[in-house]
Amino acid sequence: MAKAANDVLDKIVSLAKRRGFVFQSSEIYGGLNGCWDYGPLGVELLKNLKEEWWKFMTYREDVEGLDASILMHPRVWEASGHVENFTDPMIDCKQCKSRFRLDILGDGIATKKKRKVFETVAAQLEQSFPGVADKSLSDEAVDELFNTLLENKDFNLLLLNEINCPQCGNKGTFTLPRLFNLMFKTFVGPVEDSGSVVYLRPETAQGIFVNFLNVQNSARQKLPFGIAQIGKAFRNEINTKNFLFRTREFEQMEMQFFVPPTQDTKWYEYWKAERLQWFKNLGMTPDKLRYHDHPSNKLAHYAKEATDIEYQFPFGWGEIEGIHNRTNFDLSRHEEFSGKGMKYYDEETKEKYTPFIIETSAGASRSFMAFLVDSYHEEVVNDETRVVLKLHPRLAPIKAAILPLVNKDGMPEFSRKIEEDLRRSFKVFYDDKGAVGRRYRRQDEAGTPFCITVDTQTLSDQTVTIRERDTMMQERIAADKIGEYLMKKILF
Ligand code: GAP
């Protein structure tokens, strides 16, 4: 990662800790890799984000909600293919014992170095990959070919012998690649034997699939309709990295939309557009969002079409949500493995069939990070740098701060009264410590969109100033209209 990008991420991680957004898990014991805790401001931001998703996805007549358990029958994961296929290829460095994911090892290697490796092993590769060391190959083509060869079991050792370990720098020290299942195993009951193995779910989706008919019947839904769920998922990632981007415990916000097989493309395109719009509605910079459509040779075994919504993080483009046309794979597999019918009877066409599924799968934790990064700004104001989180008011952890200009002349009492009124509807913060300019800066860093200041004039005409975070403009309004003002600004 380039140094400037590293610096920005370091600043955000440091602000997240200092202001109580995110802490390292079990920090006093040295932390637990790939696990993070959300502090007072973080938990509000995460809750607001999930609430926005929930409203957008389920406050409509064709989507129902669900909260399935994390532990599920072990056969679920056989049917889903996770026991067999949810693996990453990994390699170890024999020298320093570090472990790496083979499929992303190439991301940390400069293209120039890759060209050199190709030159060195050209003779062995030339027959199967003619022109592999050709200087006219574009950087992109070199990167792609390198990744392809790393995942090719006949050729990857050739490349691995020429690569230095990213951790200790030694060359030719990698083991042969092995497959590693990412599911966390545990046991139900007191006996730890193979008959009592269960898994922590690696995705929330399966809880939706197995409940398809329960929800459809109880909610009396007709196709097309969807089931939405927010919940924790766990993956024993080989390499956790980039703060909240790849962690071992995280939250997903998934929706599975069940459709007649003939309508799959229409609904895939519909949800693709809706989901990108959701991020934009909440203020994410449009230029930093893009689709990454999966080429047909890279599709997962169950998918007919797939795209990622990617955000441009300081370290590069990264997936924040996946949208898949999962066909009838999931319901067919659960029908086969459970022996229970999962078909839908269409009363209009008098047909019985297995619905296709369009999946929208967003990471709550990863979206949290994207919103945090996107909102982070440094601006020079009056020769001083102000750090400001320009979070959408609906996402902001604190909606308004109430600041008495000075701690006397009845201003604290008036301010406390405003605070008490607002607390009934909003998360607000009372601050009377230090110069008002410093108090504004503290709220800018927390992403608070409005600061309400009670001053001398307030005491004579019951008006206050409201300062807007991004423009820093102030306006005067009647104190008894603050609630209405905030409601308008936050909701619309
Ligand atoms: N049900 C489909 C599914 O789980 P996925 O692409 O593996 O698809 C969906 O995951 C989303 O979950 C990703 O776009 C990402 O936002 C989030 N996610 C996946 N693995 C993650 C991890 N290790 N840490 C944080 N978020 C993760």
Side-chain angles (χ1 to χ4, degrees), residues 203 235 237 245 247 250 252 254 319-321 359 361 363:
E203 61 172 12
R235 296 183 188 178
E237 299 282 359
F245 187 81
T247 56
F250 55 96
Q252 288 188 315
E254 296 200 299
E319 172 192 342
I320 49 179
E321 171 155 355
E359 167 180 78
S361 175

Side-chain angles (χ1 to χ4, degrees), residues 34 82 86 202-206 209 233-235 237 240 244-254 256 294 302 308-309 319-322 324 326 359-367:
H82 282 80
F86 197 53
E203 61 172 12
T204 58
Q206 300 301 326
F209 302 144
F234 304 83
R235 296 183 188 178
E237 299 282 359
T240 57
L244 305 172
F245 187 81
R246 181 167 293 119
T247 56
R248 296 200 165 109
E249 177 177 340
F250 55 96
E251 258 182 305
Q252 288 188 315
M253 308 185 289
E254 296 200 299
Q256 312 293 333
H294 294 204
Y302 52 76
D308 295 336
I309 295 179
E319 172 192 342
I320 49 179
E321 171 155 355
H324 303 110
R326 299 185 67 117
E359 167 180 78
T360 71
S361 175
S365 338
R366 222 180 250 185
S367 304

